[in-house]
Amino acid sequence: MVVGNFGKTVGPFLYNAGVSEYPIDYAGLFDLWARYPNASSFHRRLGFKIQIPLEYASYQIERGQLESAIETIEHGKTLIWSEIYGLRTSIGRLRRVNPGLADRLATVSWALQAVRRSESAHELAESPSSAVDDYEDLDVFRDVSKERRRLLKQRQEVIQKVQALAGFEDFMKALPFRTLQKAACHGPIIVINRCHWRCDILIVLHDSPPPIIRTAKDFYECASSLEARIKDTRRRCRIDSIQYRRALRHFLKELHELVGKPVIDRLRELNIPEQSRVWWYPTSVFCSFPLHTMGPVRSNDGRQQYFSDIYICSYTPTLSALMEARSPASPIPDPNPSLCSLSANPANDSLPGVTNEMEAVRNIGVPVTMLTLIDGLENHSLTHFVCRGLIEGGKPFDTALELDGGDRLTLLDIVRSRLPTTEVAFLSACHTAEFADDTHTGEGFHFTAAMQYYGFGSVIGTMWDMRDIDGEDLSRIYYKDMFLDGVHDSIPLRERSGWALRYAVQKLREKGVSLERWANFVHYGP
């Protein structure tokens, strides 16, 4: 990589886009986003340039500014998730201090989202050959755009009032590394930054500067090749086929050599004990990789191990989401943990395991209420979804869970709802942590990650098709461990979840469950 060429290539674009100098400023990126009404038009206008935060982070890493690089990655992802996709910024703490301002912010934010949806609907109504530039010539679009600008100004005024409150000076601002570092208070966070210019692995520690792991020269190309090959195999072969199983083993072996082995070696150098919690914070294609199951890893006793046997792995969409998950906005009025179960019709022949899984959930001794309405979440600590997962190429907001009677709970429904979120959400459905084809994987936007970012404390999802029997067995073991008498009483439910999932997956493996089945489950959250 030549730093000078990087600056000459990316710098002029940033300047022309309105971000005239480094470092990339959150407000500057927000202004850039504000010119485009929604995610799709933003992507069409900017294309690959949406990866600018990753590219600039690599520039900072080249200059030895590792803490600034982590800030840049976090700021860019926060912009995309909170502003472009419209996922809420938590206002629970604000509501406790100043409920009036919290309500005003919520009201204007939702009005802004309604305008964005209106713009999106107008965009969809246009013929494919219509150019985005032509929209401003239409009276209806001009009126909607004017309303959007008015709401943006109004929201900024409310935010400034919030920032004037004691303790809220950094509200919705780009957070400095010293604040982001707190996300690693329970274990290291492994950041993978991948772009054309250079690729690096950084480790966020709670009490020291971030170490860097240098990657192979062909790291970028190897990752692209891995993604292409596994996607091709998944398109051609069933998940439970011998061909896919063989391809997955090769994939995980190569991924271990590329990422897993260097990370394990560095964690050992840092004296991070085995069986510690670690969090993955990937970017680019790595958002779609099962990093928790890289391997096999060599062991002294000859046993076949994978990364998750050595460290207890979770994922996080952003550092701030992980911090927010450890400080819930308000307690659910539920003195004894209870579970809200949302399921598909147990009589549905296409999901024969639903009835058994719901019985497995009931038998753990946690009260279960069968609800199909989202507002049932308000009074329960845990939510268990047993249903079919639906995914459509290029339309992340249409990712859905099919509930009773064929109703769909879409990702957009979750985003739109104004609900207190539960401590734990278990998505016992296919594809909930999988990217739809043609989706920008660099943003890490799928159902499981979005629910955790939105405010659900811990979320369990699946990276591909799931066997019904696995949902049944895993649920039984998982909840028994979550509520083991007296063992975890002092630990919040959301922080028990990652441990319980790892334990349940190990039990599945002891039963002889094949690799593609147990590797499917992922945990997002603290």
Side-chain angles (χ1 to χ4, degrees):
M1 167 186 167
V2 180
V3 178
N5 288 343
F6 178 93
K8 292 177 182 178
T9 303
V10 180
F13 170 77
L14 290 174
Y15 180 82
N16 293 331
V19 185
S20 58
E21 58 183 25
Y22 295 133
I24 291 180
D25 178 64
Y26 186 89
L29 281 175
F30 179 84
D31 290 341
L32 175 61
W33 162 80
R35 301 179 190 182
Y36 308 109
N38 48 57
S40 58
S41 60
F42 187 94
H43 288 150
R44 276 199 300 272
R45 283 293 188 92
L46 300 186
F48 75 93
K49 296 182 180 71
I50 200 169
Q51 302 296 324
I52 282 177
L54 306 185
E55 295 177 345
Y56 183 55
S58 71
Y59 172 77
Q60 292 172 309
I61 292 170
E62 179 74 15
R63 299 184 64 179
Q65 301 168 350
L66 305 186
E67 296 181 0
S68 298
I70 291 171
E71 292 175 355
T72 297
I73 295 169
E74 175 76 4
H75 302 167
K77 212 167 194 183
T78 299
L79 170 81
I80 293 169
W81 283 62
S82 293
E83 303 303 339
I84 295 177
Y85 284 137
L87 293 186
R88 74 176 188 184
T89 299
S90 177
I91 59 174
R93 188 166 65 94
L94 173 62
R95 190 173 298 282
R96 293 197 299 270
V97 174
N98 193 318
L101 269 181
D103 286 341
R104 287 178 60 189
L105 180 58
T107 298
V108 70
S109 295
W110 286 105
L112 187 55
Q113 286 193 31
V115 169
R116 291 175 190 161
R117 289 194 294 272
S118 175
E119 289 172 314
S120 296
H122 178 79
E123 181 175 332
L124 290 173
E126 292 293 312
S127 64
S129 62
S130 296
V132 177
D133 289 335
D134 295 334
Y135 286 161
E136 292 185 359
D137 295 332
L138 303 173
D139 290 340
V140 61
F141 190 78
R142 185 184 299 111
D143 291 342
V144 172
S145 297
K146 182 179 179 181
E147 175 65 6
R148 174 170 55 86
R149 290 192 294 271
R150 185 189 70 81
L151 289 170
L152 284 170
K153 180 180 179 181
Q154 183 179 342
R155 191 180 71 157
Q156 188 58 35
E157 291 172 353
V158 176
I159 290 173
Q160 289 174 351
K161 291 181 179 179
V162 175
Q163 292 170 347
L165 298 175
F168 288 84
E169 294 81 4
D170 293 329
F171 184 77
M172 293 189 73
K173 286 184 178 179
L175 298 176
F177 177 78
R178 296 305 173 197
T179 299
L180 296 173
Q181 193 175 25
K182 296 175 183 177
C185 62
H186 294 312
I189 301 169
I190 304 159
V191 183
I192 305 177
N193 189 60
R194 174 183 178 267
C195 79
H196 287 284
W197 304 100
R198 62 175 291 152
C199 302
D200 298 275
I201 302 173
L202 303 173
I203 301 178
V204 180
L205 304 171
H206 77 283
D207 58 355
S208 58
I212 185 171
I213 301 174
R214 305 291 180 182
T215 59
K217 291 183 179 180
D218 59 350
F219 187 93
Y220 186 94
E221 292 76 13
C222 286
S224 297
S225 175
L226 283 171
E227 181 194 32
R229 280 185 282 148
I230 199 66
K231 279 187 173 181
D232 179 65
T233 305
R234 196 173 295 172
R235 280 191 293 266
R236 292 186 294 103
C237 307
R238 289 171 52 90
I239 294 295
D240 57 357
S241 66
I242 294 175
Q243 294 90 334
Y244 182 79
R245 193 172 301 168
R246 184 182 301 121
L248 181 62
R249 290 188 181 279
H250 284 299
F251 173 88
L252 294 175
K253 182 178 179 181
E254 291 184 45
L255 187 60
H256 173 65
E257 292 300 318
L258 191 68
V259 176
K261 186 179 184 302
V263 168
I264 290 174
D265 290 344
R266 179 53 64 91
L267 291 176
R268 287 171 174 167
E269 291 175 6
L270 294 168
N271 296 318
I272 305 298
E274 294 189 6
Q275 306 308 313
S276 295
R277 294 289 304 277
V278 301
W279 280 262
W280 291 102
Y281 183 7
T283 67
S284 185
V285 298
F286 288 96
C287 293
S288 65
F289 289 178
L291 299 164
H292 60 291
T293 51
M294 294 182 292
V297 182
R298 292 182 181 178
S299 61
N300 295 330
D301 57 7
R303 291 185 299 116
Q304 191 173 69
Q305 291 184 313
Y306 291 84
F307 196 99
S308 58
D309 293 314
I310 301 173
Y311 296 101
I312 302 171
C313 297
S314 297
Y315 295 80
T316 185
T318 64
L319 299 176
S320 53
L322 187 57
M323 290 189 292
E324 185 66 29
R326 294 195 178 112
S327 55
S330 59
I332 293 174
D334 189 16
N336 297 310
S338 65
L339 185 146
C340 170
S341 174
L342 299 171
S343 73
N345 188 343
N348 186 344
D349 292 337
S350 66
L351 291 171
V354 167
T355 301
N356 289 337
E357 183 167 344
M358 295 321 301
E359 288 301 322
V361 173
R362 287 191 183 95
N363 289 337
I364 64 172
V366 178
V368 177
T369 304
M370 292 293 290
L371 298 174
T372 57
L373 300 176
I374 293 181
D375 57 4
L377 302 174
E378 293 182 358
N379 299 307
H380 299 274
S381 304
L382 304 97
T383 312
H384 191 92
F385 296 83
V386 187
C387 47
R388 179 181 300 282
L390 304 172
I391 189 169
E392 186 172 350
K395 297 181 179 180
F397 277 116
D398 289 343
T399 303
L401 303 177
E402 186 175 19
L403 303 178
D404 189 29
D407 289 341
R408 293 186 177 190
L409 175 66
T410 68
L411 181 52
L412 187 58
D413 292 330
I414 295 294
V415 172
R416 286 175 176 173
S417 62
R418 287 188 178 186
L419 297 174
T421 51
T422 57
E423 289 272 319
V424 176
F426 193 125
L427 307 182
S428 187
C430 301
H431 310 296
T432 55
E434 181 180 354
F435 295 98
D437 289 341
D438 302 323
T439 298
H440 293 263
T441 57
E443 298 147 21
F445 190 78
H446 53 65
F447 207 105
T448 300
M451 286 187 72
Q452 202 279 319
Y453 186 92
Y454 172 80
F456 286 79
S458 281
V459 185
I460 292 171
T462 56
M463 302 194 77
W464 45 76
D465 288 335
M466 182 192 73
R467 293 272 295 273
D468 291 336
I469 186 64
D470 294 339
E472 176 186 343
D473 291 344
L474 193 79
S475 299
R476 182 183 293 109
I477 301 167
Y478 168 83
Y479 285 115
K480 281 184 177 178
D481 189 70
M482 283 280 283
F483 297 100
L484 201 60
D485 289 344
V487 176
H488 305 304
D489 288 351
S490 62
I491 304 174
L493 289 174
R494 59 186 61 199
E495 295 186 20
R496 304 180 202 176
S497 185
W499 297 85
L501 178 63
R502 207 281 287 262
Y503 176 78
V505 168
Q506 286 180 330
K507 291 301 180 183
L508 285 187
R509 292 170 63 186
E510 290 174 7
K511 293 177 60 176
V513 169
S514 56
L515 172 64
E516 78 282 356
R517 289 166 61 184
W518 65 260
N520 192 11
F521 298 95
V522 293
H523 173 259
Y524 275 72

